[in-house]
Amino acid sequence: MAGAGGSRCPPGRLLRALALLVTGLGALSGVRAVPQQEQYPVDLMRHNYIYGDSKHEVNVYVKVSSNSPVLVCMNLALSQEELIDPKYLWIGPNGKKLKEEKHVELEETGKLILMDFKEWMSGAYTCTLFHKIMPTIRQEGREKAETYRFMVYAYREADHTYQGFAHFVTKTCELAANEEFFEKLKKMLNDLISDLTCHLAESSYRCHYIRTPEQGLQHELFVSFQVNPFAPGWEEVCHQAPSDCQDVTNMRVHKARDRIQEVFKKMTSVLAEFETVPSIHYVDKSFSVFPIDSCRPGFGKNNLTHRLCANCCVVCEPGTYSPNNDVTCQICAKPEVQKYGARHC
């Protein structure tokens, strides 16, 4: 356990000092949440092209509301050869010919792009390539057919929240000012991030007796809270974002995390100006924060099945569902649930 560090001041002085620290604190530049880039074997991908493999199905992950990579109806080696009278037949997950569908861009050369991808578009996309083999002295000309199968999954980036912890030394666990201090601390941090439509959730504190070699027996407040991007009004912010606001939501909560980190990073130096004997003071460098991921309903993580997109929230496959913001898809007891992205069973 870290010893009590930093300067000391009563709860009122402490909160006033923190308020001075954050006054005028602008939005710190947060790190934009960038989803993990799809990774495929080098021999299957060139210039955002995904080539087929006649021996194995190829998994493809497409972010919701974006366009897919270019799916090529042949393998890479064949793409380097001349083909005689090639013809291509693409079949979608519903068993229909894709040239009849409105959400696809299909070229005469067999290249396929799935436009504005949604959960229900997930599934198996199969292409058969027909081309002629030139006759030889020993063999007549004939037509050859090769089939390629792409398993295409919708994914979302995980929604981010952050769990924060900090310690404060107090005079006793029975001190009436403990509760008042905690409430004012929450309000101050909430005010700091309110313009980002973020707020503190699941906030709490506990008081414990701690024995340290340096300080002996002392009383400490263990404060914990979550930095959550879904404060009242977040839906309205989402309506201003293009199509899917998930990237915007994650960017906002990253900024909120950075602001709170900055407060605790500078707290000791600010409080060093106060010389009054304290009733509550901050334990220097005790603040820590770590991310907690969650997936939207109908999505979940599975780094075994979807190792090429291990950090993605991938659409729940038929026979599974996710009704809430958990991180896994649950197995459905009703076998008739055979759609992608199920939210109930």
Side-chain angles (χ1 to χ4, degrees):
M1 177 64 60
S7 293
R8 307 176 173 185
C9 67
R13 283 263 185 109
L14 174 60
L15 272 301
R16 285 195 294 274
L18 294 181
L20 288 173
L21 172 62
V22 301
T23 298
L25 181 62
L28 301 177
S29 57
V31 179
R32 182 187 176 103
V34 180
Q36 176 177 324
Q37 185 177 2
E38 294 87 356
Q39 299 176 12
Y40 305 94
V42 174
D43 60 339
L44 297 181
M45 184 177 73
R46 289 286 178 87
H47 307 298
N48 203 36
Y49 284 12
I50 306 296
Y51 289 85
D53 185 336
S54 58
K55 297 179 180 178
H56 307 283
E57 65 182 23
V58 178
N59 286 353
V60 182
Y61 299 89
V62 184
K63 189 172 182 180
V64 170
S65 299
S66 67
N67 298 339
S68 75
V70 179
L71 308 184
V72 185
C73 186
M74 63 183 67
N75 58 43
L76 182 58
L78 199 58
S79 71
Q80 308 303 308
E81 300 178 8
E82 291 184 353
L83 299 179
I84 300 175
D85 296 335
K87 293 181 294 183
Y88 309 90
L89 176 62
W90 278 99
I91 302 296
N94 57 6
K96 295 182 180 180
K97 296 179 181 180
L98 285 182
K99 67 179 182 180
E100 302 169 359
E101 301 292 336
K102 296 181 179 180
H103 59 275
V104 304
E105 184 177 296
L106 187 56
E107 298 181 9
E108 292 182 356
T109 55
K111 297 181 178 68
L112 171 70
I113 300 177
L114 303 169
M115 312 296 289
D116 193 24
F117 203 79
K118 297 294 189 294
E119 296 97 308
W120 60 268
M121 296 165 62
S122 300
Y125 288 77
T126 304
C127 178
T128 304
L129 165 62
F130 304 91
H131 64 97
K132 291 181 180 178
I133 304 296
M134 284 294 289
T136 64
I137 296 176
R138 298 182 180 180
Q139 191 177 38
E140 295 182 359
R142 59 187 175 86
E143 187 174 66
K144 184 177 181 180
E146 296 182 12
T147 300
Y148 302 94
R149 181 181 170 92
F150 300 84
M151 288 299 302
V152 186
Y153 299 96
Y155 82 89
R156 290 180 178 273
E157 187 184 356
D159 285 315
H160 301 306
T161 59
Y162 290 92
Q163 183 73 50
F165 299 94
H167 295 182
F168 295 85
V169 172
T170 182
K171 187 174 182 180
T172 70
C173 285
E174 293 74 27
L175 187 68
N178 291 343
E179 178 70 23
E180 179 185 358
F181 166 77
F182 175 67
E183 292 301 324
K184 289 183 177 179
L185 179 65
K186 282 198 306 181
K187 183 181 185 307
M188 194 249 344
L189 295 177
N190 273 320
D191 290 345
L192 175 65
I193 61 178
S194 62
D195 65 303
L196 300 171
T197 60
C198 294
H199 67 151
L200 301 192
E202 300 187 23
S203 305
S204 65
Y205 79 94
R206 293 178 179 272
C207 189
H208 296 279
Y209 303 94
I210 307 296
R211 192 200 70 81
T212 66
E214 298 84 4
Q215 303 292 334
L217 185 65
Q218 61 185 22
H219 302 178
E220 288 191 15
L221 304 178
F222 286 51
V223 174
S224 67
F225 54 83
Q226 286 186 10
V227 185
N228 185 292
F230 302 114
W234 74 270
E235 298 97 335
E236 188 174 327
V237 174
C238 272
H239 292 157
Q240 302 170 10
S243 63
D244 187 350
C245 74
Q246 190 168 34
D247 287 342
V248 176
T249 300
N250 281 335
M251 182 177 65
R252 289 190 288 103
V253 76
H254 292 168
K255 286 185 177 181
R257 173 207 60 189
D258 289 347
R259 291 185 187 182
I260 291 175
Q261 280 183 318
E262 190 71 11
V263 167
F264 282 96
K265 186 189 302 181
K266 296 181 177 179
M267 187 180 297
T268 300
S269 60
V270 170
L271 298 183
E273 299 177 7
F274 294 87
E275 299 178 356
T276 307
V277 177
S279 55
I280 298 176
H281 64 90
Y282 174 60
V283 177
D284 191 21
K285 299 180 180 178
S286 68
F287 180 70
S288 61
V289 62
F290 63 89
I292 301 175
D293 287 349
S294 63
C295 295
R296 299 284 175 95
F299 291 80
K301 286 188 176 184
N302 189 326
N303 58 8
L304 296 177
T305 304
H306 301 295
R307 61 183 182 82
L308 296 181
C309 204
N311 293 324
C312 305
C313 293
V314 180
V315 65
C316 294
E317 299 187 50
T320 66
Y321 73 106
S322 179
N324 48 36
N325 292 86
D326 204 351
V327 290
T328 58
C329 296
Q330 306 173 34
I331 296 176
C332 186
K334 300 178 181 179
E336 62 268 22
V337 177
Q338 292 298 316
K339 70 175 184 176
Y340 284 88
R343 302 185 180 191
H344 56 82
C345 180

